[in-house]
Amino acid sequence: MIEKGREGAERLVHVSAASADYDVTVGAGTLLELGRIAREAAGGSRCCVVSETNVAPLYADAAEASLARAGYDVARRIVFSAGEQSKRIGTLGEILEALAERELTRGDTVVALGGGVTGDMAGLAAALYLRGVDVVQVPTSLLAMVDSSVGGKTAVDLSAGKNLAGAFWQPAAVVADVRCLASVPADLFRDSCGEVVKHAVLADAALLDELTARPLTADQLDERRLVDVVARNVAIKRDVVNADERESGVRQTLNLGHTIGHAIEAASDFARGHGSCVAAGLCMMARACARRGWCGGETAARIEACVAAHGLPTGCEVPVDELMRYMAHDKKRRGGGVNIVVPVEVGGCEVRRVSLEELRELVELGC
Ligand code: GLY
């Protein structure tokens, strides 16, 4: 249950992407302010919460009460089965039908309440319904707060791979209440720390050192620290999205650790957590780049130390041939090459194009 509280001051991060401007509000107890924030940012007199079976029982009542207090006519919520297996065209179709059944109009608002799967799917439904209605993202997992709720990427999975059908659809607002993180299982929270470490490597050397000295896993219930770390992560992502909303340039650096990480994830048939795989991919790429002379050995060591401090893997047991099979089919592959992200130094990463043969050499060096 979300109660009013004072731990950790509220922080606003303003996103100014090419297609939209919006605020990300990060705080403790912020869910109670959802209605006011949505009212100021999004249009319409009606709204509808889209959530899933694990999150809805915990937070949908509080979210809807806040929306109603702000004057919204709140339509009957839409709840789908929790889990990545729901992130399919079929569920998306059901959400769209349910929005139509509730007679939401073009000026009304979808409220995406949940983790990454919910944000991606409800965001895509909002992009498609009536050719686009407002969506307010209300992330309840660490991964969704620091990454997927910000920047406008929405998608569903296809049989051929994850996130293969989607759209860029920026939210009207993002409301991140770190109090929701208290209900996240510790293993899942730890997994999401992989993306937090990645952001620090990309753009905040001081944050990386702080996280190594005191891993975020030690502070899942420390609202003040969570507000600070989540807001700093959002600001890092905001800077990238502001510069390159459509991932034609610098946004590709957010894929740091993902080339190898995605292959590890796919090789486990998605049984391993995304953040853990990104953490392992990040360390492997950093070691490979150090051995290749593209970054200093101390950079790779700093990255590994932070990953290890969070109890996340710094490598993987998957054979190179198998990793290469998945990487050859990666959706980010272009022509005969792959864009990889090189951690030249902590706080300074760059995109480099390599052939599949060069990538294989790097993976061998990183193992
Ligand atoms: N999660 C990477 C991005 O939003 O671009």
Side-chain angles (χ1 to χ4, degrees):
M1 192 169 91
I2 296 290
E3 289 168 357
K4 274 197 179 185
R6 300 187 55 78
E7 278 306 303
E10 197 167 273
R11 300 259 288 270
L12 273 190
V13 181
H14 185 70
V15 181
S16 192
S19 72
D21 273 36
Y22 53 95
D23 282 328
V24 181
T25 308
V26 184
T30 324
L31 194 57
L32 301 176
E33 303 298 319
L34 168 64
R36 176 188 58 75
I37 296 168
R39 194 92 222 145
E40 285 165 12
S45 53
R46 296 192 78 217
C47 67
C48 182
V49 170
V50 177
S51 192
E52 42 90 319
T53 46
N54 287 340
V55 168
L58 297 174
Y59 304 120
D61 283 348
E64 288 175 349
S66 174
L67 291 159
R69 273 198 307 280
Y72 275 108
D73 171 11
V74 182
R76 189 161 45 89
R77 73 184 67 146
I78 300 168
V79 181
F80 61 87
S81 298
E84 184 77 26
Q85 73 285 351
S86 284
K87 205 173 129 179
R88 302 301 298 246
I89 292 273
T91 320
L92 175 70
E94 286 166 17
I95 295 171
L96 291 169
E97 292 289 355
L99 291 171
E101 200 179 288
R102 285 155 180 73
E103 298 181 354
L104 258 76
T105 65
R106 185 169 270 168
D108 295 334
T109 297
V110 169
V111 178
L113 175 71
V117 170
T118 304
D120 276 11
M121 251 195 331
L124 184 54
L128 296 173
Y129 183 65
L130 302 178
R131 298 200 182 87
V133 296
D134 279 339
V135 60
V136 174
Q137 292 281 354
V138 188
T140 58
S141 71
L142 181 63
L143 185 78
M145 287 184 194
V146 300
D147 186 11
S148 56
S149 66
V150 179
K153 280 191 182 175
T154 70
V156 291
D157 301 337
L158 300 180
S159 305
K162 281 179 76 172
N163 296 327
L164 291 186
F168 286 96
W169 191 247
Q170 299 290 345
V174 181
V175 179
D177 185 346
V178 301
R179 206 157 279 176
C180 296
L181 298 177
S183 65
V184 173
D187 280 356
L188 195 59
F189 184 86
R190 178 190 309 285
D191 185 71
S192 301
C193 289
E195 293 281 3
V196 173
V197 175
K198 179 203 80 176
H199 278 150
V201 173
L202 276 178
D204 193 338
L207 179 60
L208 189 80
D209 291 341
E210 278 171 45
L211 288 168
T212 307
R214 185 165 174 86
L216 198 58
T217 40
D219 287 328
Q220 187 177 345
L221 300 178
D222 181 336
E223 293 179 349
R224 194 173 294 277
R225 182 156 195 237
L226 290 171
V227 169
D228 178 60
V229 172
V230 170
R232 285 162 77 182
N233 270 260
V234 170
I236 291 167
K237 181 147 188 194
R238 178 271 316 273
D239 290 346
V240 173
V241 169
N242 281 359
D244 174 26
E245 182 181 8
R246 294 290 179 127
E247 200 173 315
S248 53
V250 71
R251 188 161 181 173
Q252 291 175 47
T253 60
L254 293 176
N255 297 324
L256 177 63
H258 282 62
T259 305
I260 301 176
H262 273 155
I264 300 170
E265 206 179 347
S268 77
D269 208 11
F270 298 94
R272 296 183 72 169
H274 175 75
S276 306
C277 296
V278 167
L282 172 59
C283 292
M284 289 169 72
M285 188 56 82
R287 278 197 299 272
C289 291
R291 288 172 184 155
R292 184 56 25 121
W294 292 349
C295 74
E298 74 290 349
T299 297
R302 258 171 102 186
I303 294 170
E304 270 192 68
C306 190
V307 166
H310 286 80
L312 291 166
T314 58
C316 76
E317 304 301 321
V318 185
V320 174
D321 282 343
E322 197 177 340
L323 290 176
M324 287 310 299
R325 263 203 307 281
Y326 288 107
M327 283 188 277
H329 290 107
D330 195 296
K331 73 173 185 296
K332 293 196 164 61
R333 190 160 77 85
R334 293 169 198 205
V338 180
N339 285 354
I340 59 160
V341 186
V342 176
V344 178
E345 59 183 356
V346 175
C349 298
E350 67 182 37
V351 177
R352 206 174 273 213
R353 185 157 186 81
V354 295
S355 66
L356 284 177
E357 292 70 38
E358 288 169 309
L359 182 60
R360 168 181 274 279
E361 284 167 26
L362 285 168
V363 175
E364 281 167 351
L365 283 173
C367 277

